């Protein structure tokens, strides 16, 4: 018969192992996020976790691994790894881990343009959040549903989810407030409700507590001023913007950099150069949205109408394809 001290030693050894696993996960995920050299370290931690019977150790290992490959273009390895993580978290009712990983996977798939699949995953996440009575899960799933509808140019549907998400965040939590207000500003801008778009862009900036959020917030504010054709305010805001700094500008995603370049060219009256710059956008809908604005700034009503009609057709076609896929 084993004494109780044997079990105590075993529990203590497992606790020490899981503490070290947690520290490794914090180090690699936060400081070396996309480093492929993390993969063998994650695999080693996973094997040891299996030997010790540590579920949380397996989760730490899988998280290190899926973050390591998230930026590598290896879709297969990313999906196999994160799917195992999600399944394990769901089986163990580790709701926060489930929400975090599912959110990461949906963002990954949105980057690949697979909005139909994202819709189903976000819907499952919403149901899980309701089951768990989790404010975090309800916030994240409503945010994701809203983002999916926004990317599909279904701005009214997106707004419903963003407003729902606001119900589940703490009153003083800056990041969710910034994120939602910025998303809502873009939706109002997409619906050409520019006064409300500016109102929410300003609100987003008041909650921008970190440098990267300030960059996104300033870009959104400049974008809404540009869309509203308030060129005087646009010039004032641009003159004092941190985005004039080259390093800060390069911190933006490429599509935001291209759009900001277009705004600056139009501001200087370089319409031909602005139209050429627009074509660097990968999607036709982004190109057409800016071409409409450039034509309006030029006073070329016929071109603006032609681009707007084409934009409406492209957006309708995308929505129809997505609906067919979902059905």
């Amino acid at each position: 018969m084993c004494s109780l001290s044997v079990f105590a030693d075993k529990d203590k050894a497992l606790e020490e192992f899981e503490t070290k696993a947690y520290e490794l996960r914090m180090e690699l995920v936060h400081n070396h996020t996309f480093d492929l050299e993390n993969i063998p370290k994650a695999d080693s931690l996973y094997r040891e976790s299996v030997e010790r019977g540590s579920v949380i150790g397996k989760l730490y290992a899988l998280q290190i691994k899926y973050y390591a490959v998230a930026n590598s273009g290896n879709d297969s390895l990313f999906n196999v790894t994160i799917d195992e993580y999600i399944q394990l978290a769901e089986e163990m009712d580790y709701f926060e881990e489930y929400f975090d990983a599912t959110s990461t996977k949906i963002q990954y798939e949105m980057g690949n343009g697979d909005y139909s699949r994202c819709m189903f995953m976000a819907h499952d996440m919403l149901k899980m959040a309701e089951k768990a009575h989790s404010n975090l899960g309800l916030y994240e799933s409503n945010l994701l549903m809203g983002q999916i509808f926004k990317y599909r140019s279904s701005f009214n549907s997106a707004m419903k989810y963003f407003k729902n998400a606001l119900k589940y965040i703490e009153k003083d939590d800056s990041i969710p407030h910034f994120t939602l207000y910025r998303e809502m500003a873009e939706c109002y801008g997409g619906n050409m409700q520019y006064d409300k778009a500016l109102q929410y862009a300003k609100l987003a900036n008041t909650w921008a507590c970190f440098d990267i959020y300030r960059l996104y917030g300033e870009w959104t504010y400049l974008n809404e001023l540009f869309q509203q054709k308030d060129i005087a305010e646009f010039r004032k805001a641009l003159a004092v913007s941190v985005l004039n700094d080259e390093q800060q500008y390069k911190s933006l995603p490429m599509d935001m950099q291209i759009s900001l370049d277009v705004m600056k060219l139009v501001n200087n009256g370089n319409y031909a150069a602005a139209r050429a710059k627009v074509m660097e956008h990968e999607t036709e809908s982004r190109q057409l949205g800016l071409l409409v604005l450039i034509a309006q700034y030029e006073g070329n009503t016929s071109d603006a109408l032609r681009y707007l009609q084409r934009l409406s057709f492209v957006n309708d076609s995308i929505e129809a394809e997505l609906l067919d896929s979902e059905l």
Side-chain angles (χ1 to χ4, degrees):
M1 178 179 289
C2 294
S3 68
L4 291 176
S5 63
V6 173
F7 292 113
D9 289 343
K10 186 177 180 181
D11 289 344
K12 185 177 180 182
L14 182 61
E15 184 180 340
E16 288 176 353
F17 166 74
E18 290 179 344
T19 299
K20 289 180 180 178
Y22 171 78
E23 290 170 353
L24 179 66
R25 170 247 187 184
M26 292 297 289
E27 167 67 14
L28 298 183
V29 169
H30 291 281
N31 297 331
H32 307 280
T33 311
F34 303 122
D35 191 342
L36 292 176
E37 292 184 5
N38 290 349
I39 294 175
K41 297 174 185 177
D43 288 341
S44 175
L45 176 60
Y46 186 92
R47 287 191 296 270
E48 189 173 356
S49 298
V50 172
E51 291 170 5
R52 291 176 176 270
S54 172
V55 173
I56 197 69
K58 287 168 67 175
L59 286 171
Y60 292 152
L62 290 166
Q63 188 179 48
I64 292 167
K65 189 170 181 177
Y66 75 68
Y67 270 114
V69 298
N71 225 24
S72 69
N74 190 335
D75 291 350
S76 177
L77 183 56
F78 174 82
N79 283 314
V80 167
T81 307
I82 201 168
D83 285 348
E84 183 180 354
Y85 182 101
I86 291 169
Q87 182 180 351
L88 186 58
E90 189 173 0
E91 287 173 357
M92 300 300 297
D93 285 342
Y94 289 166
F95 292 115
E96 287 194 16
E97 287 77 8
Y98 168 85
F99 297 136
D100 181 67
T102 304
S103 176
T104 300
K105 177 161 181 164
I106 292 170
Q107 295 284 359
Y108 187 90
E109 294 297 347
M110 280 198 283
N112 292 333
D114 193 349
Y115 299 132
S116 295
R117 190 177 180 197
C118 291
M119 183 73 74
F120 291 122
M121 287 191 290
H123 185 265
D124 287 346
M125 184 176 169
L126 182 59
K127 292 299 179 187
M128 179 66 79
E130 290 170 350
K131 173 186 172 183
H133 304 289
S134 167
N135 283 351
L136 172 65
L138 288 164
Y139 158 70
E140 288 189 348
S141 52
N142 275 287
L143 170 64
L144 289 164
M145 290 289 283
Q147 288 174 330
I148 294 164
F149 276 111
K150 187 193 78 172
Y151 292 145
R152 296 167 63 153
S153 299
S154 299
F155 299 116
N156 290 331
S157 295
M159 284 295 297
K160 291 177 184 176
Y161 284 103
F162 292 143
K163 288 178 179 178
N164 277 339
L166 276 172
K167 300 173 186 175
Y168 301 108
I169 60 178
E170 298 293 331
K171 291 182 180 179
D172 58 350
D173 201 344
S174 59
I175 295 175
H177 278 94
F178 167 81
T179 302
L180 288 169
Y181 290 143
R182 181 174 172 270
E183 295 286 5
M184 292 165 77
E186 292 194 346
C187 286
Y188 280 124
N191 274 342
M192 300 183 184
Q193 294 175 269
Y194 297 123
D195 287 345
K196 285 189 175 181
L198 276 175
Q199 175 189 341
Y200 279 93
K202 288 177 182 176
L203 264 177
N205 277 337
T206 64
W207 288 93
C209 56
F210 298 112
D211 286 347
I212 190 62
Y213 296 113
R214 186 181 173 193
L215 299 184
Y216 279 51
E218 289 202 10
W219 183 92
T220 302
Y221 184 60
L222 288 168
N223 184 55
E224 300 309 334
L225 287 170
F226 181 77
Q227 290 192 64
Q228 192 168 345
K229 300 174 201 63
D230 190 342
I231 203 67
E233 284 301 315
F234 175 85
R235 286 171 178 162
K236 287 180 187 176
L238 181 62
V240 298
S241 174
V242 295
L243 293 171
N244 290 314
D245 179 83
E246 186 71 12
Q247 186 175 350
Q248 302 282 16
Y249 160 83
K250 287 184 177 178
S251 298
L252 290 172
M254 185 54 65
D255 63 323
M256 287 187 174
Q257 291 182 34
I258 294 168
S259 294
L260 184 58
D261 290 343
V262 170
M263 295 180 213
K264 290 179 177 178
L265 289 166
V266 170
N267 177 48
N268 293 328
N270 297 333
Y271 301 120
R275 280 192 293 273
K277 190 69 181 178
V278 161
M279 305 317 292
E280 294 182 20
H281 273 302
E282 293 183 358
T283 62
E284 188 178 5
S285 60
R286 287 185 184 274
Q287 295 170 3
L288 289 165
L290 285 167
L291 287 170
V292 170
L293 288 166
I294 294 168
Q296 290 175 335
Y297 272 100
E298 285 183 291
N300 191 332
T301 307
S302 59
D303 274 1
L305 181 59
R306 179 166 58 86
Y307 290 133
L308 193 57
Q309 289 172 332
R310 174 64 186 168
L311 177 61
S312 178
F313 173 78
V314 167
N315 285 340
D316 287 347
S317 298
I318 292 169
E319 185 66 15
E321 287 177 14
L322 289 166
L323 287 172
D324 284 344
S325 173
E326 286 159 13
L327 287 171

